[in-house]
Amino acid sequence: MAHAPSSPTPPPTVPAGEAGPGRGGAGPLPPARTGRRKALILLALAILVGLAAAGFRGRNWYRAREEWAAIREALAGRDLAAASTHLDRYVGLRPDDPAGWFLAARTARRRGRFAEAERHLDRCEQAGGVTDPTRLERDLLAVQQGRLGEIDGYLRATIGPDHPDVRLVLEALARGYLAADRWAEARQACEMWRGLEPDHPWPWLWSGWISERLGQVEQAGEFYGRAVDLVPDARDARVALARVLVRRRQPAPAADHYERVLARAPDDPEALFGLAACRVDEGRADEAVPLVDRAQARDPAAFAGLALRGRVAMERRDPAGAEGWFRRAVESQPGDPEALHLLVLSLRGQGKDAEAAQLTRRVEDLQRDLRRLGELIRTINPGLEDAAPCHEAGVIALRVGRAREGVNLLHDALRRKGDHRATHAALAGYYREAGPPALADLHQRLAGAP
Amino acid sequence: MRQRVPWFATAAAVAFLLLMPGCEQKPSPEPGDPTEPPPDPSGAPAPLYEDVTAASGVDFAYRNGEDTADNLSILESLGGGAGLIDFDRDGLLDIFLPGGGGFAGPDKKQIVGRPCKLYRNLGGGKFEDATATAGLDQLAGGKPWFYTHGVAVADYDRDGWPDLFVTGWGGVTLFRNVPADPADPKKGRRFEDVTARAGLDKGIIWATSAAFADLDGDGYPDLYVCQYVDWSWGKNPVCNYDTKTPDVCPPRHFNGLPHKLYRNTGTGGFADVSTEAGLLPGGPYQSKGLGVLLVDVDGDGKPDIYVCNDTVDKFLYLNKSRPGVLRVEECGLPSGTARDDRGAPNGSMGVDAGDPGRTGKPSLWVTNYENELHALYRNESTPGRPSFQFHTAAAGIAAIGQKYVGWGTAFLDADLDGWEDLFVANGHAIRYPTGRQASRKQHPVLLLNQLGRFRDASDRIGDYAATPRLARGVGFGDLDNDGRTDLVICHVNEPAAVLRGVGGKDHHWLGVRLGGKGHSCVVGARAIWEAGGRRQTRFVKGGGSYASSGDRRLLFGLGRETAGRLVVRWPDGTEQRFDGLAVDRYYRITQGRPEPEAGSGEAK
């Protein structure tokens, strides 16, 4: 459980008699009246200094209390950025308060700022020692980064529904499973969290991500819609909902969502690209161009921008112009079958049938891989019985350019069967290309191959 | 002296430039030809269709069997179509409706058929049940009907009388149109089940849509039959879409069945040439056919085959046949017609071809599953090199969104303004759709074409559209010969609807029926109406819509035009031109005959 903030301590008083008379002056003794006056002056000064110090401490005490209240309010409103700002101020005012560092560490972790969280947790333990809550926080820090090891199992076994931090544990578990591409477990964590806290938008948003990744686009839209209902200004949920609507071929409502996001953040690149895609789908390709211009001003090589420019050129019946944009898009994301398909269409539109046919085969291979990957991911369950599906999925993910996911899936295979040779061989191959060589050697040895 | 340009001329020129789509083959605008009818006194645009079902006498519902058992089989999801056939050649299209089927036996696993229905068109919007008199109440030898889906119509034996082909689970049936009494032609016509005699009584597992066209150029219509998936009670998994409610399984759970291509032998029979002709086999990611259209896509005069498959690539078979030898070459992917703009295969059901952009080439149109765009493939083919571009977004069709599951469809000029519009019948394929706005019964969609760009005009369908339906196939045809395309819409488990086209009241039209020499099949021909430098092209097609067969006459909406030239390009490449045709009527044009005959029916 989080540390409760300690009450700000009252300002220390100045020790009495510290500046008392008779402390060894070298001159002649003053007359008694003069001595009394001096003592009175000194006493008054001491009182003034004491009052000033007390005032200063008191002001800090009030500022810290205000910051603490602001932190509480920001956390209740799920505004982690604002909470972080107030926490920075609070620990500046109360650097010895372990509760402030603890909350700062937790908030930084929840924001995904793991190094910062680690530092804050160190300061917390320096100030208040290692406690059960800090041990739990260290576990959550590891879990949320996808370093699940045995920790997730331990947490699931020990943190029951009545534990005061169960929601934070489920949040960290969900994030960790998402980071490790363990979709079934991420879904379970989100479902449990939703059950405990149905008015919290995040488990709905993340459930949407999971459904989207598993190819359940309609269900993803339902989850995102719920998150938007709960917090209408939630940018991520609204953008995700719009994205799903575009995928579900409903450009008009998607455009409304993107426009709402852009009303608050006019340069949001994802919303700009999304709105541009809606305009192309609506047959208003010309209106897409200035939106893409705005978004690409920040990131001229963004995949979405390149693909959209190609689509606009195609709508203008300029396949030659489109070809260049699609080639750059494919270079940027070679594992995206849609961009590759659009390149094929642009080639075909120019009569470049031979290259179009060659690339069509690549599209088909890629789609076959992605279809199989989707099937495997949907069937992989949290149980430890079989490493083969994870291995196959990992190999496919690496082949289609999804390195992080591929490595995650291969490690999931090893979690199920540590001596799965084919998986070690696949990881050896991967690390040989991407480094570090020591890992390549290690997996090569474990694969048992020369 | 500098002349002043009138303000309205400037405005017209600006409007011209703004509205003209930027295409290579620019469609010609229609100055002074309103695309919007005058509003009715209530301020709403006038409806383009009138629901005349109640008065028509057509009262028949396709049944999918869910009223007989709760099997939730994929068999129940396909529904049926509608066939328009002037079987008695009185010049009025009659209506054939497949009956579907149900489940019987102690475990409700016996698949049984329901009789189909034939309604004879009496004129004046009235129809009478002619099923029994036409011999369609049972099959050869008194066998009961099988579980039916679709219908195709063609004069397969070239005797001048349209014949009937019915598809379904476990088989197909070919009915030959014969005199009720050979000794007395006045006794009318009836149908004779000649399936076995024609060699069509084996090899079919689950037939959906079918279409006829003369593919090898011998004059006799050959036959393409779509097959769906290898479902059976032994392969009938339970599926759900919300993690708990059992429902019909999607097609990805089944292997696609190979389709069938039959060569018409010209002697009353059909030979299965599927393999040697080059049809692709079935499989987990192939086939699963639902819709088929035969039309010449590359302009060589030979009808090609375009097939809508469910969740897997569509087929475009380019016709490479020669007389007596059927050969086709699949080119869906290289031609750009197999998938959508994202490179994804779709759940494709309904299909048609038309020329909505007035390019002179048939664009292909496909209705798809929810959350997939319906596909408009713009034709950029040259002879021998089929090539299409996905044109849905640019045509404005993507803008309306795609929340429905589309089935029967066709290009039709609902307001007779000379620009082909689109109608789509909708209804969900599964029993319990999930999602906030999902519903099993859905509204139809009408897209009006304004100079090559479509806008949603579903609110102009009329009263019929106010109620959501579980619609499937649609038979499109002019039932009352008034130049407006009427609709016969097949629903699942509720009576079919008959909608009368009433649009374009102040517009003119021209209808033509093209016939080959000796009743040869002319699918692959096209007719072009030229007037004021503008051209409209219509294509003679086989199949189309979904599991349905429509009017094979070609209709041109003329707006306010009353004069022009009709050019007919026959499949053999010959061309005939006709000037001075009066408008607002039908003509029969037979290849080689210099003069067209007035009249709506088949030449006798």
Side-chain angles (χ1 to χ4, degrees):
Chain A
M1 184 181 168
H3 286 275
S6 55
S7 301
T9 49
T13 53
V14 178
E18 202 171 49
R23 294 267 177 110
L29 285 174
R33 279 174 74 185
T34 309
R36 271 201 304 275
R37 192 180 299 147
K38 277 186 176 173
L40 282 170
I41 289 167
L42 283 171
L43 180 64
L45 280 172
I47 290 169
L48 279 173
V49 169
L51 283 172
F56 180 74
R57 293 292 297 269
R59 182 171 156 269
N60 276 2
W61 185 87
Y62 279 112
R63 279 180 59 197
R65 203 172 66 167
E66 281 173 9
E67 291 298 342
W68 194 259
I71 292 162
R72 286 293 181 200
E73 190 182 333
L75 289 175
R78 301 179 185 111
D79 187 347
L80 296 185
S84 273
T85 304
H86 292 296
L87 276 160
D88 286 347
R89 289 184 198 142
Y90 180 83
V91 295
L93 293 166
R94 303 292 316 282
D96 298 326
D97 182 3
W101 290 112
F102 182 84
L103 212 49
R106 175 162 282 180
T107 305
R109 171 183 59 76
R110 294 178 71 198
R111 295 182 72 196
R113 300 181 173 192
F114 301 121
E116 188 182 323
E118 192 101 39
R119 283 198 305 275
H120 292 336
L121 204 51
D122 290 345
R123 289 291 302 268
C124 172
E125 289 180 339
Q126 283 165 15
V130 176
T131 61
D132 282 349
T134 62
R135 283 192 202 95
L136 174 62
E137 187 55 31
R138 284 208 185 277
D139 283 348
L140 298 183
L141 189 55
V143 159
Q144 189 173 322
Q145 293 175 74
R147 299 202 311 257
L148 297 156
E150 306 293 322
I151 306 171
D152 64 312
Y154 167 77
L155 290 173
R156 290 164 69 141
T158 55
I159 307 291
D162 299 327
H163 190 285
D165 280 342
V166 63
R167 294 167 195 186
L168 288 168
V169 171
L170 288 170
E171 177 190 323
L173 280 172
R175 287 181 179 218
Y177 290 134
L178 286 170
D181 295 295
R182 284 163 60 173
W183 303 99
E185 290 143 298
R187 172 169 274 178
Q188 281 177 353
C190 285
E191 279 172 6
M192 288 171 70
W193 186 12
R194 286 193 333 246
L196 291 170
E197 206 170 4
D199 292 338
H200 198 308
W202 295 357
W204 295 104
L205 172 64
W206 300 350
S207 295
W209 290 348
I210 295 160
S211 297
E212 206 178 342
R213 179 63 192 90
L214 297 178
Q216 294 150 348
V217 180
E218 195 169 320
Q219 192 179 49
E222 294 290 313
F223 288 136
Y224 293 144
R226 184 69 187 268
V228 168
D229 289 347
L230 289 167
V231 184
D233 288 336
R235 180 262 175 206
D236 287 354
R238 201 171 278 283
V239 165
L241 177 58
R243 183 177 62 237
V244 162
L245 286 167
V246 170
R247 283 228 67 83
R248 295 175 64 191
R249 306 293 196 171
Q250 294 176 31
D256 290 345
H257 288 297
Y258 284 129
E259 280 171 338
R260 278 193 67 165
V261 172
L262 289 169
R264 291 169 66 90
D267 294 323
D268 188 309
E270 197 178 350
L272 285 168
F273 283 136
L275 185 58
C278 293
R279 296 297 178 240
V280 175
D281 281 350
E282 289 171 323
R284 297 154 64 184
D286 288 342
E287 293 174 42
V289 175
L291 298 165
V292 177
D293 287 343
R294 271 165 64 192
Q296 279 199 316
R298 288 185 167 187
D299 185 1
F303 169 79
L306 299 171
L308 274 165
R309 286 197 188 281
R311 286 185 64 197
V312 169
M314 287 298 283
E315 294 301 319
R316 290 174 174 168
R317 304 193 183 188
D318 176 18
E323 181 190 335
W325 295 112
F326 291 141
R327 281 199 192 281
R328 288 178 61 190
V330 167
E331 248 172 58
S332 160
Q333 285 193 21
D336 186 288
E338 197 173 320
L340 203 52
H341 174 74
L342 288 166
L343 175 58
V344 168
L345 292 184
S346 69
L347 292 170
R348 197 176 287 138
Q350 301 170 74
K352 297 179 177 176
D353 290 353
E355 189 182 358
Q358 188 188 344
L359 289 179
T360 297
R361 284 191 287 278
R362 251 178 73 189
V363 173
E364 287 194 79
D365 290 345
L366 194 53
Q367 287 180 326
R368 194 177 306 113
D369 272 347
L370 292 174
R371 190 166 56 219
R372 180 66 183 150
L373 180 60
E375 286 168 2
L376 288 164
I377 284 175
R378 278 190 290 274
T379 56
I380 290 170
N381 59 40
L384 294 170
E385 58 274 8
D386 193 4
C390 291
H391 162 255
E392 186 185 350
V395 168
I396 293 173
L398 289 178
R399 189 162 60 223
V400 300
R402 296 182 178 182
R404 186 193 56 79
E405 185 179 3
V407 171
N408 276 339
L409 285 160
L410 291 173
H411 280 294
D412 199 12
L414 292 182
R415 186 174 65 89
R416 293 155 194 264
K417 192 170 189 302
D419 60 351
H420 198 259
R421 287 180 163 206
T423 300
H424 283 297
L427 281 168
Y430 169 74
Y431 287 121
R432 198 171 298 119
E433 292 286 320
L439 275 179
D441 293 344
L442 171 70
H443 285 291
Q444 192 67 61
R445 268 201 315 280
L446 293 168
Chain B
M1 195 176 117
R2 195 174 159 193
Q3 272 191 317
R4 288 186 63 189
V5 179
W7 67 269
F8 50 83
T10 310
V14 169
F16 175 89
L17 290 170
L18 287 174
L19 291 170
M20 188 171 68
C23 55
E24 289 148 16
Q25 290 171 287
K26 293 179 181 66
S28 42
E30 302 273 295
D33 184 19
T35 53
E36 280 293 316
D40 75 2
S42 68
L48 296 167
Y49 293 94
E50 183 185 348
D51 187 344
V52 296
T53 314
S56 71
V58 174
D59 182 16
F60 183 71
Y62 179 97
R63 298 277 171 199
N64 71 345
E66 69 180 72
D67 55 339
T68 58
D70 207 19
N71 284 323
L72 293 170
S73 62
I74 193 171
L75 179 63
E76 297 157 53
S77 62
L78 297 193
L84 305 186
I85 173 173
D86 180 11
F87 84 99
D88 52 3
R89 284 196 353 193
D90 63 355
L92 293 168
L93 284 169
D94 310 298
I95 299 172
F96 176 84
L97 296 170
F103 305 102
D107 59 355
K108 298 289 183 186
K109 296 288 164 68
Q110 185 190 340
I111 299 166
V112 295
R114 286 182 71 245
C116 302
K117 197 67 93 174
L118 178 70
Y119 285 102
R120 197 165 81 85
N121 190 338
L122 304 175
K126 302 287 182 194
F127 292 79
E128 72 173 6
D129 184 349
T131 313
T133 53
L136 291 174
D137 51 343
Q138 57 188 13
L139 307 180
K143 274 198 310 187
W145 273 96
F146 53 100
Y147 191 119
T148 50
H149 293 300
V151 52
V153 174
D155 177 12
Y156 83 95
D157 54 0
R158 294 176 61 181
D159 66 352
W161 295 89
D163 309 298
L164 195 57
F165 182 76
V166 185
T167 66
W169 166 260
V172 294
T173 296
L174 177 66
F175 290 103
R176 184 168 177 237
N177 188 334
V178 296
D181 179 355
D184 184 3
K186 287 182 186 163
K187 287 189 177 168
R189 308 291 295 183
R190 67 177 180 85
F191 288 99
E192 181 185 10
D193 178 352
V194 294
T195 313
R197 201 190 314 160
L200 295 169
D201 58 339
K202 45 193 170 291
I204 293 291
I205 297 172
W206 189 359
T208 54
S209 287
F212 288 96
D214 174 18
L215 297 173
D216 58 358
D218 66 358
Y220 285 91
D222 307 297
L223 173 64
Y224 189 96
V225 180
C226 293
Q227 292 211 88
Y228 195 42
V229 297
D230 68 342
W231 170 86
S232 67
W233 293 120
K235 298 178 207 164
N236 186 41
V238 176
C239 292
N240 67 68
Y241 300 88
D242 62 355
T243 71
K244 53 183 184 290
T245 315
D247 208 328
V248 174
C249 280
R252 69 181 164 82
H253 286 260
F254 309 94
N255 285 344
L257 291 169
H259 299 187
K260 294 284 183 184
L261 183 60
Y262 297 97
R263 187 175 64 80
N264 190 328
T265 61
T267 55
F270 287 87
D272 183 350
V273 294
S274 311
T275 307
E276 56 264 43
L279 291 201
L280 295 180
Y285 302 113
Q286 198 151 273
S287 215
K288 313 188 184 184
L290 286 179
V292 59
L293 178 77
L294 306 187
V295 63
D296 172 24
V297 299
D298 63 343
D300 66 356
K302 293 179 180 176
D304 307 295
I305 306 170
Y306 188 53
V307 185
C308 291
N309 293 318
D310 197 357
T311 69
V312 292
D313 286 350
K314 292 178 275 289
F315 297 142
L316 177 59
Y317 287 111
L318 199 63
N319 189 353
K320 304 272 186 180
S321 305
R322 60 181 192 277
V325 180
L326 280 186
R327 288 286 181 274
V328 293
E329 188 179 296
E330 207 284 315
C331 59
L333 272 177
S335 68
T337 55
R339 298 180 181 174
D340 66 13
D341 57 332
R342 293 175 178 164
N346 302 132
S348 302
M349 275 79 76
V351 59
D352 198 19
D355 187 18
R358 291 189 173 180
T359 65
K361 297 177 177 181
S363 290
L364 295 172
W365 165 250
V366 178
T367 56
N368 287 321
Y369 203 67
E370 66 182 0
N371 302 331
E372 299 172 336
L373 287 182
H374 295 327
L376 179 62
Y377 298 100
R378 190 184 65 228
N379 193 333
E380 297 180 350
S381 305
T382 51
R385 182 185 179 273
S387 180
F388 291 79
Q389 289 289 344
F390 194 84
H391 194 56
T392 305
I397 297 168
I400 65 165
Q402 201 355 50
K403 293 183 284 188
Y404 294 147
V405 179
W407 298 84
T409 191
F411 284 103
L412 74 180
D413 189 350
D415 48 6
L416 300 181
D417 66 348
W419 293 89
E420 285 180 292
D421 312 304
L422 281 163
F423 182 91
V424 183
N426 297 303
H428 219 296
I430 64 172
R431 190 82 66 86
Y432 307 107
T434 57
R436 287 184 184 195
Q437 297 166 339
S439 68
R440 191 176 183 208
K441 294 186 176 183
Q442 302 177 337
H443 298 276
V445 168
L446 177 68
L447 299 169
L448 283 186
N449 182 348
Q450 292 179 311
L451 309 180
R453 198 173 159 84
F454 290 88
R455 68 173 180 82
D456 186 3
S458 305
D459 58 346
R460 296 191 58 196
I461 294 174
D463 292 343
Y464 166 82
T467 307
R469 320 275 177 158
L470 191 54
R472 291 294 186 263
V474 183
F476 294 88
D478 185 359
L479 298 173
D480 52 3
N481 295 327
D482 67 350
R484 291 161 184 85
T485 303
D486 309 305
L487 318 179
V488 179
I489 307 174
C490 180
H491 304 126
V492 177
N493 300 326
E494 62 178 295
V498 183
L499 304 191
R500 180 170 174 261
V502 294
K505 281 179 178 155
D506 53 350
H507 288 173
H508 297 289
W509 58 275
L510 181 78
V512 290
R513 171 187 292 278
L514 302 185
K517 292 174 188 166
H519 303 298
S520 66
C521 177
V522 294
V523 172
R526 59 188 65 189
I528 302 132
W529 172 257
E530 299 174 344
R534 297 178 293 273
R535 292 156 67 102
Q536 294 185 57
T537 310
R538 300 286 183 267
F539 309 93
V540 184
K541 300 169 282 194
S545 188
Y546 166 72
S548 298
S549 183
D551 198 342
R552 297 299 162 199
R553 296 173 296 181
L554 307 178
L555 266 173
F556 294 90
L558 305 183
R560 302 221 165 113
E561 289 166 354
T562 53
R565 164 182 285 181
L566 184 75
V567 179
V568 177
R569 199 166 295 153
W570 299 98
D572 63 5
T574 58
E575 213 171 82
Q576 285 182 271
R577 291 160 190 269
F578 304 94
D579 292 302
L581 297 176
V583 298
D584 299 328
R585 67 190 59 184
Y586 279 101
Y587 288 94
R588 288 189 293 259
I589 296 175
T590 305
Q591 185 175 9
R593 282 194 199 163
E595 293 302 320
E597 302 170 74
S600 59
E602 181 74 42
K604 305 212 177 179

